[in-house]
Every structure is written in C-alpha cells, then in structure tokens.
C-alpha cells in the first residue's frame, strides 16, 4: 500500500508523462520536471528495497504506456495495429507488416484491406524507407522530437481527408491549404513523410479526377511546392493517354495559375532520369508546345511567361524534342519574349538565348531565326546589353548563335552588320567579360570581315 505523498507523486508524474502538454511549447520545462519527479518519488518511499523495486517497475510501466500512446499511425500495421516490424508495400501503395499481410493473402484474400481494391499484383515489396524511419524513431527514444510524431499523424489525417469520398470539397480545400503551409517549412523529416505517404501520387490522381477548377488549381500549387521534396517517379502517370489528354486540356482551358503550375511541372521532368521519357512525350506533343509558347509570349503575365520559358528550356534539354519545338513555334515565342524582356525587372533573357542556341543546331532552327523579322536584330541586342555576370553568359551565347547563323547565311551577316554588331563586338572586347566570350567575339569579327571581303571581290 502506497503512502499518501507517494500517491500524489505518482499521480503528478503519470499526468505529466502522458499529458498532451508535453507536445506544446513548454516541453523543456516539463522534461526537466519529469527528470526530477522520480527522485522525489524515490525519497517518499520508506524502504530502499521497496523503493528500488517499485521504481524500476514504475518506470517500466511508464515506458510501455508512453510507447503505446505515441506510436505514430504511419508506424502501425493497418491489420494488427502494432508497430511495424517488417514493413512491406502492396501494389496499391499501402504498407503492412509482412506477417500480417502474408496471413491475409494466404487465406485467399486478394484485396487491399485499407482501400479494398482488388490486387492485380499480389507481390509485396520491402519498404526500406519506412523501416529506416521506424529504426530512427526507436533508437532516438526520448530524443525523438515529439513534434515528429505529431507531424506524421497530422499529414496522415490530411491525406485521409483528401482520399475520403465522405469529405466535402471545402474540407478537401482546407486540407490542401494546410499542405501548402507544411511544404513551405522544409526539413528532411517532412521530406521523408511526404515521400512515404505518397502525397505526389495522390495529388496527381486528384488533379486528373476532380472537375473543380478551384481544387485543381490549389492541388497543382501544392504539387509544385512538393516537387523539390519528393521522388518524381509518380509524374510518369501523365504518360497515360487519358491523363495526357487532361493535362493538355488544363493547359488550354485552365486558369493562368493552373497553366503556370503545369509549366513548372514540365520544367521538373528534365531534372531527373526517372522522368526523361515523360519529358520526351511532352516535348513531342504539338498541343503542349503550342500552349507553353503562347504562355511565354504573354509578357504582361510575368510569372506565367517565365514559367513558359522554363518549360521550353526543359524540353530543349532533350535533343529528340528540338525539331518538335521548332515546328511548334518556339523560335517565334522566344524572340517575342526577348523583345519585351526589358520591361521586366527580373527576366530570363539568358535562358531564352540558351533555347535559341540549342535550336539553331538544327537547320530548321537557323531558318526560323533568319526568317523572323526581328530575329537577327534581337540576337545582336543580346551581345552587349547589360554589364553583369548573368548577361556576360548571355553575351557568349548570343555571339555563338550569330557565329553559327552568319557562317551559312549572307542575309544574316548583312542584318547583323546593319543592327550594329561590329560596335557591339568592339565594346564586348574592351569589357571584363570572360576569355571564352572574347574568343568567340574575335572569331565572329574575323568571319564577318572575311565574308565581307569575299563578297566585295565577287561584286568587282
């Protein structure tokens, strides 16, 4: 039988140990108090042997209670509800403990217990990411930040709200707003959680299934924020014919924000080998190219115009896309952007020049620049526009483009000279630009002089 002071100490320690307050801002003070209370309890007990035995039993029961209460839902098997010991994943994306799901499947069940979907592939795949996360959680013990458990549960609940057919549109929109906030607060733990909970897959599926434009716009905004944090492989679902059709339709008829987000998504396909094939598919879609070119030309919408340039630059990274880009009007779109780019405080003129550089490797690309009424003149303006490091890079590209075109087209040489290329090159050679840029400038001057002399001799 415990003495009255002992009962009080036990009650206080139990309350603090299991209280949700330990997850709030006063965590440091509470942790300090937790460390002191066992000693206080120890002093209240009358006999050392009783003290020691009860103390050990008490802490053991507290540890068991704490573990049971704070296991994140993500770490529990949906069948046994116990901590996952050997997590494996089904084709539906749901994770179970190996022993539990094997029993379920061996009993002749061919459905996922969580989603109730029929399993088209009954094989199971070890989930090493989740296993590592659970091991980290177990090893850290007290040091494992309680907020991490709360984060897992919070993200899980938001995912459930988005998945549930019972959730209203308003409820789902609220969930998306919360995801936006969480994705802004980057940390490696959240990155693991977003990956493990397959948020990118879920949001993409909802974009292609939901007809609400408000929801689609917000979901795409969340996807753009998650792209730097997650594995990009789920983007490959866009290769599906029906989803690609929806993607194109959103580019054609969506809001400006929706189109901007889709361009950012296209931009991301060039950053991973996992999505290289998708980049090829998008880069050979006439409608996709026409829409991003149209967006790039709308200079009054600065952010969407930039997004269009970035999308074109990404598609240009694959050589197999370049002919399609030329046919889709990329040359005209990029030149239109550069002509108006001076109106923008922060423009992507160097990136736009990079697109031209890649496209003039093709004969059709050279013809596109030469035949454009302002093509050569626009490139000449980029040779020495503003004296900063970014523009020196742009200068090198611009001189390189003129070298390629002027070597083959007399009309291009005449236009370049008429646009003041000689003066621009002389200024460039006297500036502090890089050696590569100066070397190309000298080569272009030499080319123009030799061609000029040759043409003059031919006339004589």
């Amino acid at each position: 039988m415990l003495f009255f002071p002992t009962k009080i100490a036990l009650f206080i320690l139990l309350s603090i140990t299991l209280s949700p307050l330990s997850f709030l801002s006063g965590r440091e003070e509470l942790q300090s108090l937790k460390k002191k209370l066992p000693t206080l309890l120890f002093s209240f007990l009358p006999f050392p042997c009783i003290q020691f035995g009860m103390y050990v039993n008490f802490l053991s029961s507290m540890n068991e209670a704490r573990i049971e209460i704070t296991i994140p839902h993500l770490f529990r098997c949906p069948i046994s509800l116990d901590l996952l010991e050997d997590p494996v994943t089904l084709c539906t994306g749901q994770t179970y403990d190996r022993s539990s799901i094997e029993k379920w499947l061996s009993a002749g069940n061919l459905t996922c217990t969580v989603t109730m979907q029929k399993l088209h592939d009954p094989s199971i795949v070890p989930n090493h990411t989740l296993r590592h996360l659970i091991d980290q959680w177990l090893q850290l013990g007290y040091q494992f930040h309680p907020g991490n458990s709360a984060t897992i549960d919070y993200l899980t609940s938001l995912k459930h709200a988005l998945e549930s057919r019972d959730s209203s549109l308003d409820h789902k929109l609220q969930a998306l707003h919360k995801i936006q906030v969480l994705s802004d607060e980057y940390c490696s733990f959240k990155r693991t959680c977003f990956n493990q909970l397959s948020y990118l897959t879920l949001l993409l599926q909802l974009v292609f299934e939901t007809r609400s434009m408000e929801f689609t716009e917000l979901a795409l905004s969340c996807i753009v924020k998650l792209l730097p944090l997650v594995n990009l492989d789920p983007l490959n679902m866009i290769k599906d014919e029906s989803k690609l059709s929806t993607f194109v339709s959103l580019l054609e008829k969506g809001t400006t924000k929706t189109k901007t987000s889709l361009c950012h998504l296209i931009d991301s396909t060039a950053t991973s080998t996992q999505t290289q094939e998708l980049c090829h598919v998008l880069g050979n879609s006439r409608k996709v190219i026409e829409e991003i070119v149209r967006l790039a030309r709308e200079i009054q919408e600065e952010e969407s115009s930039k997004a269009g340039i970035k999308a074109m630059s990404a598609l240009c990274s694959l050589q197999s896309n370049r002919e399609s880009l030329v046919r889709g009007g990329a040359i005209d779109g990029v030149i239109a952007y550069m002509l108006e780019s001076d109106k923008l405080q922060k423009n992507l003129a160097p990136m736009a020049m990079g697109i031209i550089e890649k496209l003039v490797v093709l004969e059709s690309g050279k013809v596109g620049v030469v035949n454009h009424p302002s093509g050569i003149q626009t490139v000449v303006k980029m040779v020495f526009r503003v004296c900063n490091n970014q523009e020196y890079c742009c200068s090198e590209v611009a001189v390189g483009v003129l070298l390629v075109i002027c070597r083959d087209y007399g009309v291009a040489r005449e236009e370049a000279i008429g646009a003041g290329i000689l003066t621009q090159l002389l200024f460039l050679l006297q500036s502090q630009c890089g050696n590569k840029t100066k070397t190309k400038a000298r080569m272009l001057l030499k080319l123009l002089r030799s061609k000029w002399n040759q043409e003059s001799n031919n006339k004589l």
Side-chain angles (χ1 to χ4, degrees):
M1 183 174 179
L2 297 176
F3 294 91
F4 180 70
T6 305
K7 290 182 179 180
I8 294 175
L10 279 169
F11 175 78
I12 295 172
L13 182 56
L14 179 63
S15 299
I16 293 177
T17 303
L18 304 182
S19 171
L21 288 174
S22 60
F23 296 94
L24 300 179
S25 59
R27 183 168 53 255
E28 292 81 4
E29 291 81 3
L30 288 167
Q31 292 293 343
S32 175
L33 187 56
K34 282 188 201 178
K35 291 178 181 177
K36 294 178 183 177
L37 275 173
T39 304
L40 179 63
L41 171 63
F42 192 86
S43 65
F44 281 141
L45 296 174
F47 301 106
C49 59
I50 296 176
Q51 290 174 346
F52 181 77
M54 290 185 64
Y55 180 72
V56 170
N57 291 335
F58 175 76
L59 288 186
S60 175
S61 64
M62 287 301 95
N63 285 334
E64 290 174 5
R66 185 182 296 106
I67 291 173
E68 181 179 353
I69 288 173
T70 60
I71 292 178
H73 292 304
L74 182 62
F75 296 171
R76 291 181 183 270
C77 173
I79 297 176
S80 67
L81 300 182
D82 292 328
L83 183 67
L84 290 161
E85 295 180 7
D86 186 5
V88 292
T89 303
L90 295 179
C91 62
T92 58
Q94 299 298 323
T95 300
Y96 300 87
D97 197 61
R98 183 184 293 273
S99 60
S100 297
I101 195 61
E102 284 181 345
K103 286 179 184 177
W104 171 260
L105 296 174
S106 62
N109 300 299
L110 292 176
T111 56
C112 172
T113 65
V114 174
T115 65
M116 296 311 295
Q117 289 177 278
K118 189 173 181 179
L119 301 176
H120 59 80
D121 179 7
S123 60
I124 54 179
V125 179
N127 192 327
H128 298 298
T129 304
L130 185 56
R131 179 68 175 267
H132 174 74
L133 199 59
I134 293 172
D135 288 344
Q136 181 189 34
W137 177 70
L138 290 171
Q139 289 169 10
L140 289 176
Y142 273 114
Q143 298 174 18
F144 188 87
H145 198 297
N148 287 343
S149 298
T151 297
I152 294 171
D153 291 343
Y154 187 50
L155 285 173
T156 304
S157 67
L158 291 176
K159 184 185 179 186
H160 177 72
L162 291 171
E163 289 175 322
S164 176
R165 294 184 178 180
D166 297 329
S167 297
S168 66
L169 178 60
D170 285 343
H171 192 193
K172 290 184 177 182
L173 289 171
Q174 290 173 13
L176 288 176
H177 281 296
K178 292 171 182 175
I179 292 166
Q180 268 192 318
V181 173
L182 285 170
S183 59
D184 281 334
E185 302 166 357
Y186 171 79
C187 73
S188 58
F189 184 81
K190 282 181 185 173
R191 174 176 183 165
T192 304
C193 290
F194 279 125
N195 267 314
Q196 183 53 44
L197 289 167
S198 303
Y199 258 94
L200 183 57
T201 301
L202 172 62
L203 292 174
L204 283 169
Q205 288 172 339
L206 291 172
V207 164
F208 293 123
E209 294 170 3
T210 308
R211 294 184 179 180
S212 166
M213 191 55 71
E214 181 184 6
F215 180 90
T216 299
E217 181 181 302
L218 187 54
L220 282 169
S221 178
C222 288
I223 287 171
V224 170
K225 287 180 177 291
L226 289 178
L227 289 176
L229 309 179
V230 298
N231 186 306
L232 298 181
D233 187 58
L235 291 178
N236 286 314
M237 72 169 69
I238 299 171
K239 292 186 292 185
D240 177 79
E241 188 176 345
S242 63
K243 290 182 173 61
L244 182 59
S245 176
T246 303
F247 187 95
V248 172
S249 178
L250 288 172
L251 263 179
E252 292 175 331
K253 304 172 184 175
T255 63
T256 301
K257 285 186 178 180
T258 295
K259 294 178 180 181
T260 302
S261 294
L262 290 173
C263 284
H264 286 308
L265 195 151
I266 293 171
D267 182 25
S268 70
T269 63
T271 64
S272 171
T273 55
Q274 294 174 312
T275 51
Q276 200 168 60
E277 188 179 343
L278 173 60
C279 185
H280 172 75
V281 170
L282 295 172
N284 283 273
S285 167
R286 179 179 57 82
K287 290 184 177 180
V288 168
I289 292 172
E290 287 175 353
E291 288 305 318
I292 62 176
V293 168
R294 186 176 292 114
L295 205 62
R297 295 174 69 102
E298 295 175 359
I299 201 77
Q300 67 276 12
E301 296 286 348
E302 185 172 346
E303 290 306 313
S304 58
S305 184
K306 285 182 182 178
I309 292 294
K310 287 181 179 179
M312 273 194 277
S313 178
L315 295 179
C316 264
S317 65
L318 286 186
Q319 191 172 349
S320 58
N321 290 341
R322 293 172 189 173
E323 195 66 60
S324 298
L325 283 159
V326 174
R327 289 197 302 267
I331 295 286
D332 289 350
V334 171
I335 291 174
Y337 176 85
M338 288 194 294
L339 282 170
E340 300 291 330
S341 62
D342 286 336
K343 298 176 182 177
L344 305 177
Q345 288 185 345
K346 293 183 179 180
N347 62 66
L348 300 179
M351 184 179 288
M353 275 306 311
I355 296 171
I356 297 290
E357 180 186 36
K358 291 182 176 71
L359 296 183
V360 295
V361 173
L362 305 172
E363 192 61 34
S364 57
K366 296 176 193 175
V367 172
V369 175
V370 172
N371 288 345
H372 191 287
S374 304
I376 297 298
Q377 183 182 359
T378 302
V379 178
V380 169
K381 284 183 177 179
M382 294 293 149
V383 170
F384 193 77
R385 197 175 55 143
V386 178
C387 295
N388 59 47
N389 291 334
Q390 187 184 43
E391 295 304 330
Y392 283 143
C393 175
C394 185
S395 296
E396 182 184 337
V397 175
V399 174
V401 167
L402 288 171
L403 263 172
V404 171
I405 297 175
C406 290
R407 187 180 291 121
D408 298 331
Y409 292 89
V411 64
R413 294 190 290 273
E414 291 177 9
E415 282 191 42
I417 292 171
I421 185 59
L422 298 176
T423 304
Q424 295 281 63
L425 290 173
L426 290 172
F427 278 136
L428 194 61
L429 288 170
Q430 294 173 24
S431 70
Q432 297 178 358
C433 65
N435 290 330
K436 285 180 66 178
T437 304
K438 288 185 178 181
T439 299
K440 287 184 178 181
R442 291 188 187 99
M443 289 173 64
L444 182 54
L445 276 172
K446 185 177 179 180
L447 173 69
L448 292 172
R449 185 178 62 185
S450 63
K451 291 291 184 180
W452 179 272
N453 291 337
Q454 183 181 343
E455 289 169 6
S456 297
N457 291 333
N458 289 339
K459 289 177 182 178
L460 293 174

